[in-house]
Amino acid sequence: DSGLKPDERWALKELLDFSLVSSSNDGMRAIALSLGGLSISNARSEEVINDFVRKMNEEALRLDLKNTYFWNETGLDESEIKGGAYGTAKDVTRLMEYIVTAHPALLEATRAREVEISSLDNFKHVAKNTNDLVGWIPGFLGSKTGYTTTAGGNLTLAFDPELGRPIIVTILGSTERGRFEDAKKLI
């Protein structure tokens, strides 16, 4: 529960910003239901989510992420032994490179330690960044964190320390705290 209210209305960009900064699974589910419902509006929620996840996997193939597969829209574990998504560090890095190059605005909010965002219903939400390294990395461009019991601690981040070529660091399968220490060593 990330504090979203039933039937609360959001602009897509604000809900994406909130969800990316705070790793809100509720927010990502709402996005998947809303965007997925545009193409199959009379379907049940489960059908909408399944179609959205199918499109996520199609996009992964289009981006040549050969070792990436999504089982659900959030990446949350499906069970104690089955993750919600699978990918290699190479694929996650490629995805981050694609975002930095083609859609850099998607990462803007992840540069802040905290953002206050209002929904269209004027509910104020504070999203605390789940990346402990925000503010520490020179030329920070953005990041995404993840943690589940099955996947462990994950982090991908991009920065450009005035080299003119962004550097991307991806940590998969660490611990919840260890992912930040691992990233510091690599940086």
Side-chain angles (χ1 to χ4, degrees), residues 27-98:
M28 293 313 292
R29 182 163 181 82
I31 290 166
L33 283 167
S34 296
L35 292 179
L38 293 174
S39 59
I40 53 173
S41 59
N42 293 329
R44 294 183 340 266
S45 294
E46 184 179 321
E47 294 170 317
V48 171
I49 292 293
N50 289 340
D51 187 60
F52 188 83
V53 172
R54 180 185 57 74
K55 290 176 181 172
M56 289 170 62
N57 285 309
E58 288 173 0
E59 185 67 5
L61 285 174
R62 188 186 74 75
L63 294 172
D64 201 30
L65 307 178
K66 296 175 184 166
N67 296 299
T68 295
Y69 191 79
F70 301 98
W71 288 102
N72 61 51
E73 75 284 6
T74 64
L76 289 175
D77 293 340
E78 294 275 305
S79 71
E80 289 182 21
I81 58 170
K82 180 182 176 187
Y86 290 89
T88 61
K90 182 178 181 180
D91 277 4
V92 172
T93 301
R94 280 180 131 167
L95 179 58
M96 181 59 101
E97 179 182 22
Y98 169 74

Side-chain angles (χ1 to χ4, degrees), residues 140-158:
F140 185 61
L141 299 172
S143 66
K144 181 64 188 92
T145 63
Y147 176 82
T148 69
T149 303
T150 302
N154 303 293
L155 169 66
T156 187
L157 57 86

